[in-house]
Amino acid sequence: MASLAVADADRKIEVRDGDLERVSDDEISAAGTGKADILQLEHTDPVLNAKMHLVNNAIDEIGFTKYQWKLFVLNGFGYAVDSLILLIQSIIAGQAALEFNPSFARGLTIAVYVGMLVGALFWGLTADIIGRKFAFNVSLMICSIFAIVAGSSPNWVVLGLFVCLSAFGGGGNLVLDTAVFLEYLPSKDQWLLTLMAAWWGIGQLIAGLFAWAFIPNYSCSDPTIIPDAAPCSYDNNKGWRYVWFASGALVFVMSILRITVIRLKETPKFLIGEGKDEECVQTLQDIAKEYGRPCSLTIEDMRACGEINTERRGSISHAKSKFSLGEIGVHLRGLYATRRIGISTTLIWFSWTLIGLAYPLYNVFLPSYLASRGATFGQTSVYITWRNYALVNLCGIFGPILAGYMCATRLGRKYTMVVGALVTMAFFFAYTQVRSEAQNLAFNCTINFCLNIYYGTLYAYTPEVLPSAHRGTGNGIAIAWNRVMGIMSAVVATFADTNTPVPIYICAALYIVMAGIAAVFPFEPYGKRSS
């Protein structure tokens, strides 16, 4: 068998093709930075693994620069947009239904999740086939255009269509944002991937502020509450349209900033899987040069590792034809390349499935909970309801901030998720005993804070433990399962009724299961580097 030498400033590691499992963690982590790669003993291609290790060393050598800060903000836009579009449809659904009198009032929830489901799969697969750059530049633009158009919808069906198309554009961002940011991050800063989920809370807050600004002041009254109210029409019910116009315009500005503030280079780890070693090295050298940082990686170092065996490429990175069903099969097999990777992939997808039901049962239908509970305690003001909604969403920003700190301690990612899920579960059960309006607001704020500890960490953990060559596909399918259950949440909410505590009990039970799954994840990224 051919011998493979991994060149490093400190030493060389001998890896024999096909026998990577014989190389210990200590041997590889002794080279360069002293940190092991998460999947270094799981890879089925020792050449690809060795090159990935060199690139990780180079990224660590360059360190954190303004380039990563730009990515933190611009990729954070994608997080914010995902939550913004998801919550906007729930905010405006009630007022739009008063105007259009639909036969199925939960239709917009299904529409937004269908769009996000297709978007997650489409953008996730294309990320592994043609790269991360295209989706990064295009997805937000698509989202913004249809969000603006949604505000002009003449009927319920057309509104649902535009909501779906807007969600299709925004739905791929969570797949790409984490992958792109992670693949440029130095290992010591990977905890920032969890912190980036704070942008999710910012999107929620923006949705709440738009609702607070427009819904109370530019909406017709519900005749079931005010019997002598005038019929809802286009003229007296423009508040929900203003929410869409404002949201779409904001997303459009974000999409322009993505293109102008940073000219995204294709990620080095994607280029390795493509066999484009020279482009990979040049990308890293360019970043180092621009920000005055050292980068000792050379094309000779990469070549010393050998070439990815083209006869085996169909089992590693790509099928013979990229644009074929075989290509999808390659990426699916890559997510089950070894027993541990397969278990990890399955548990991650299951976790996303569970949170996909629990999250919308609470957050998407939060306006219903606030209104029904408020009415119980004598609070019927629409203005107060939407003010409280904005305050609850504000609290969601700080959950990922605490999670980012916890992830950087010995708790690691796994036990940060365990703690977040169990605390959230406790407050869900306690919420059913709320007896005053002040308690109603306080518990909702606390729940939104705690559940974002778990959710924000899961967002970061998922791409960290997926193989780089198949990261987009694995992340896309995970989020797709999440969206499928979002569709199911509309059915559950219809029969369980969000005006009762039943959905809250369901959420609490789901978080217990999620805590148990997090505890048995086979990989812990703390102190290691993504592969």
Side-chain angles (χ1 to χ4, degrees), residues 38 55-56 59-60 68 71-72 75 132 175-187 189-194 196 267-269 413 459-468 471 475 525 528-531:
I38 294 171
V55 168
N56 276 336
I59 292 174
D60 281 348
Q68 281 86 356
L71 286 176
F72 179 80
N75 287 20
R132 283 66 158 140
V175 181
L176 270 301
D177 294 331
T178 51
V180 170
F181 190 48
L182 174 64
E183 293 184 9
Y184 278 107
L185 268 181
S187 58
D189 299 307
Q190 282 182 199
W191 65 274
L192 285 172
L193 201 62
T194 302
M196 196 168 73
T267 65
K269 293 182 179 180
R413 277 62 157 172
Y459 269 119
Y461 179 86
T462 300
E464 279 189 292
V465 299
L466 292 173
S468 177
R471 184 167 284 141
N475 214 359
K528 296 184 179 181
R529 308 185 301 188
S530 67
S531 295

Side-chain angles (χ1 to χ4, degrees), residues 47-232:
V47 176
L48 185 62
N49 191 52
K51 290 184 177 182
M52 198 71 69
H53 189 76
L54 287 178
V55 168
N56 276 336
N57 286 349
I59 292 174
D60 281 348
E61 183 182 11
I62 294 170
F64 198 87
T65 69
K66 288 183 180 179
Y67 190 79
Q68 281 86 356
W69 274 122
K70 291 177 183 178
L71 286 176
F72 179 80
V73 175
L74 296 175
N75 287 20
F77 287 168
Y79 265 71
V81 169
D82 185 275
S83 61
L84 175 66
I85 297 300
L86 181 61
L87 295 192
I88 287 297
Q89 65 80 24
S90 69
I91 288 169
I92 65 94
Q95 288 303 133
L98 289 176
E99 183 176 334
F100 296 136
N101 298 309
S103 57
F104 184 58
R106 306 285 187 200
L108 292 189
T109 300
I110 293 178
V112 76
Y113 274 107
V114 167
M116 289 186 166
L117 166 63
V118 177
L121 291 173
F122 177 81
W123 298 113
L125 289 172
T126 56
D128 283 340
I129 296 172
I130 63 175
R132 283 66 158 140
K133 182 178 178 179
F134 174 77
F136 181 86
N137 290 332
V138 172
S139 56
L140 281 191
M141 183 68 71
I142 294 173
C143 178
S144 66
I145 291 171
F146 287 109
I148 293 172
V149 174
S152 302
S153 301
N155 57 57
W156 187 255
V157 174
V158 173
L159 175 60
L161 173 63
F162 289 143
V163 167
C164 183
L165 291 172
S166 180
F168 167 76
N173 276 281
L174 291 184
V175 181
L176 270 301
D177 294 331
T178 51
V180 170
F181 190 48
L182 174 64
E183 293 184 9
Y184 278 107
L185 268 181
S187 58
K188 68 180 180 62
D189 299 307
Q190 282 182 199
W191 65 274
L192 285 172
L193 201 62
T194 302
L195 178 63
M196 196 168 73
W199 283 95
W200 174 273
I202 292 173
Q204 292 177 317
L205 175 61
I206 292 171
L209 292 176
F210 282 161
W212 188 15
F214 295 120
I215 299 296
N217 299 317
Y218 303 98
S219 299
C220 61
S221 300
D222 187 345
T224 62
I225 298 176
I226 303 177
D228 59 346
C232 287

Side-chain angles (χ1 to χ4, degrees), residues 290-312:
E290 182 176 355
Y291 297 100
R293 300 296 179 87
C295 181
S296 58
L297 180 65
T298 66
I299 187 60
E300 286 75 22
D301 294 334
M302 300 292 277
R303 287 172 179 165
C305 296
E307 296 292 330
I308 297 175
N309 193 329
T310 55
E311 293 180 1
R312 296 174 56 227

Side-chain angles (χ1 to χ4, degrees), residues 306-433:
E307 296 292 330
I308 297 175
N309 193 329
T310 55
E311 293 180 1
R312 296 174 56 227
R313 276 179 69 84
S315 64
I316 302 300
S317 298
H318 294 291
K320 291 182 178 179
S321 173
K322 279 190 176 185
F323 302 98
S324 66
L325 291 176
E327 175 74 6
I328 298 175
V330 166
H331 293 300
L332 290 175
R333 286 195 299 272
L335 295 168
Y336 287 85
T338 69
R339 183 173 178 272
R340 289 183 76 202
I341 291 177
I343 292 172
S344 176
T345 298
T346 300
L347 292 178
I348 286 170
W349 287 352
F350 189 41
S351 297
W352 277 95
T353 302
L354 294 176
I355 193 69
L357 179 59
Y359 183 85
L361 273 181
Y362 175 71
N363 270 68
V364 173
F365 300 112
L366 182 58
S368 300
Y369 294 132
L370 287 171
S372 62
R373 284 300 182 105
T376 301
F377 306 130
Q379 194 288 108
T380 59
S381 167
V382 176
Y383 178 86
I384 295 298
T385 295
W386 290 111
R387 183 209 64 182
N388 290 352
Y389 185 75
L391 291 174
V392 171
N393 287 331
L394 173 64
C395 295
I397 297 174
F398 302 101
I401 295 176
L402 176 59
Y405 170 77
M406 294 168 67
C407 285
T409 68
R410 291 193 176 274
L411 276 175
R413 277 62 157 172
K414 289 168 55 175
Y415 290 101
T416 296
M417 283 187 276
V418 171
V419 171
L422 291 178
V423 173
T424 303
M425 173 272 297
F427 278 103
F428 266 129
F429 279 126
Y431 180 56
T432 61
Q433 303 305 309

